[in-house]
Amino acid sequence: MDIGGVVAAAEELLARPFLDGSADSSDWLEGAAQSGSRAHFVPIAVFASLHETPADHDGTAWRLLDEEYQSFEQFRRDVVVALTARWRPPEPHSFHADYERVVAGDEGISSLEYDLAMFTSGETFPAWRHEGRIIALLLGQMDKEFPLVLTVAAIEVATRLLNHDLRQPISYSNLAIRDELVEEPPHETNQLLISGKDAVAVSNGRELLMYCGSVRTALVNVAVWNADPGPRSANQDFRHTEVLRLECPSARLYLESAPDPSRSLPEPLPEGAGTYSVRVARRRQPPDRAEFPAHPTDEPHTEEFTIDLWRTGDLPPEWLDLLDDDGLQR
């Protein structure tokens, strides 16, 4: 397939519907075209396995495979240039989290997640996000018995379930997000806040804290997803956390910058009580000169946060003794 054909295939995959009730098979690992319930694959180039061939026996297989890999990789770079001109620069994406689950022996991982994690070895690859799916250029070899495959894929990724934008006044340099049933002792909150002065955000599992310095206002976007959405912004102005953890026993969250009144999110978490993974991104906005025209050198900056949450498990056992069947504190 030439570059124009790959671009055409990628554009067609933007809108091709996934197939309800169809299994996601592993045919694409053999270099075949495939459509399923969560992914489509269109092969670009395939190099047959050299396992148990004369080249394998005389020791030249590794060199031939490496030459083809480098050729495929160069072609992939050329396609990235073409798609960047058509759309925008790609964002690096990976199935590292799924790869870690495979390594840990997680039996709950799906066959598609397993195939993608092992084919890519959890490494990043170029991808473009479009409304709940990524268009990706995947290059790899599942095992020595499999061919080397370069394929363009449309893969279903995280869907945003809730999205809220809030403008939060900041007092005493702090911003917290907690479940409504969590009340941490002030000294523990203070210790956690001090530990996070140089971080984007910190969490002890029961509250998530952000140190905001001397700013007056935080612009906060809170989004809830059905799975890990990956880092949302490639903007270099943003700093990102690693994945943090937050226990949500009531599934109702609030923002607070003590001692100001808290602000509850208007809706409960759609997937209910449980333990959530959280990723926070942060940048400092320039001051709004129109708001403070008389003191241009003393204008306070504004912090901007994006907070992404997705449910990853049940609550720890110690919560079960505190909650009744309706999730209310006893």
Side-chain angles (χ1 to χ4, degrees):
M1 189 184 296
D2 61 16
I3 291 177
V6 178
V7 171
E11 290 188 325
E12 188 272 330
L13 290 182
L14 285 178
R16 185 190 295 185
F18 295 120
L19 307 179
D20 292 340
S22 296
D24 288 289
S25 73
S26 300
D27 295 345
W28 67 277
L29 298 173
E30 300 280 1
Q34 177 190 319
S35 287
S37 62
R38 292 183 55 206
H40 304 297
F41 299 90
V42 176
I44 299 171
V46 181
F47 181 66
S49 170
L50 296 176
H51 182 58
E52 297 296 343
T53 66
D56 192 18
H57 297 146
D58 65 21
T60 60
W62 69 269
R63 177 178 57 81
L64 295 172
L65 182 63
D66 183 66
E67 288 175 355
E68 287 299 318
Y69 185 93
Q70 297 305 322
S71 175
F72 284 13
E73 179 58 52
Q74 181 58 57
F75 188 77
R76 177 163 68 167
R77 288 194 288 266
D78 293 341
V79 172
V80 167
V81 171
L83 286 175
T84 295
R86 196 82 168 186
W87 297 336
R88 62 183 183 277
E91 298 179 11
H93 193 89
S94 81
F95 296 106
H96 180 75
D98 292 326
Y99 184 80
E100 291 293 317
R101 291 172 63 197
V102 172
V103 173
D106 184 347
E107 296 182 355
I109 195 165
S110 71
S111 60
L112 177 64
E113 290 167 338
Y114 178 92
D115 289 345
L116 289 167
M118 300 308 290
F119 182 81
T120 62
S121 299
E123 300 298 324
T124 58
F125 51 84
W128 291 262
R129 183 179 291 272
H130 292 274
E131 297 299 328
R133 68 178 65 189
I134 58 170
I135 305 298
L137 297 171
L138 305 180
L139 172 59
Q141 184 181 28
M142 189 64 167
D143 206 341
K144 59 185 178 180
E145 297 90 354
F146 287 78
L148 178 68
V149 175
L150 174 61
T151 186
V152 59
I155 304 165
E156 184 181 46
V157 290
T159 299
R160 186 160 20 201
L161 305 176
L162 286 180
N163 188 62
H164 296 296
D165 290 303
L166 304 131
R167 188 178 181 92
Q168 174 69 43
I170 298 298
S171 300
Y172 295 98
S173 303
N174 72 90
L175 179 64
I177 185 167
R178 304 183 187 91
D179 185 273
E180 290 185 354
L181 292 185
V182 171
E183 295 182 10
E184 289 293 81
H187 70 277
E188 292 188 14
T189 295
N190 290 335
Q191 290 175 359
L192 184 62
L193 186 63
I194 291 170
S195 73
K197 279 193 173 183
D198 297 322
V200 174
V202 290
S203 175
N204 60 7
R206 295 168 68 91
E207 63 179 341
L208 187 144
L209 289 173
M210 293 146 277
Y211 180 79
C212 299
S214 60
V215 303
R216 289 186 182 178
T217 304
L219 305 177
V220 186
N221 173 257
V222 180
V224 183
W225 305 77
N226 66 341
D228 182 356
R232 254 204 285 165
S233 176
N235 189 318
Q236 295 303 307
D237 294 339
F238 277 93
R239 296 170 56 208
H240 294 80
T241 64
E242 297 296 323
V243 175
L244 304 174
R245 179 174 173 275
L246 190 65
E247 295 167 10
C248 303
S250 75
R252 290 188 174 276
L253 297 180
Y254 68 91
L255 284 175
E256 181 180 62
S257 183
D260 287 343
S262 62
R263 300 184 62 188
S264 296
L265 297 188
E267 299 171 80
L269 301 175
E271 295 196 315
T275 298
Y276 283 74
S277 289
V278 188
R279 186 184 285 106
V280 181
R282 170 184 180 179
R283 69 174 173 179
R284 175 160 288 193
Q285 293 270 33
D288 184 349
R289 295 183 181 275
E291 190 174 352
F292 304 97
H295 305 284
T297 60
D298 297 330
E299 299 160 356
H301 287 67
T302 297
E303 294 284 0
E304 181 179 356
F305 293 94
T306 63
I307 303 174
D308 292 321
L309 303 98
W310 61 101
R311 193 180 189 280
T312 49
D314 295 329
L315 291 168
E318 55 265 27
W319 275 109
L320 300 181
D321 293 333
L322 301 175
L323 303 174
D324 61 23
D325 292 340
D326 296 320
L328 301 176
Q329 196 165 18
R330 289 174 177 166

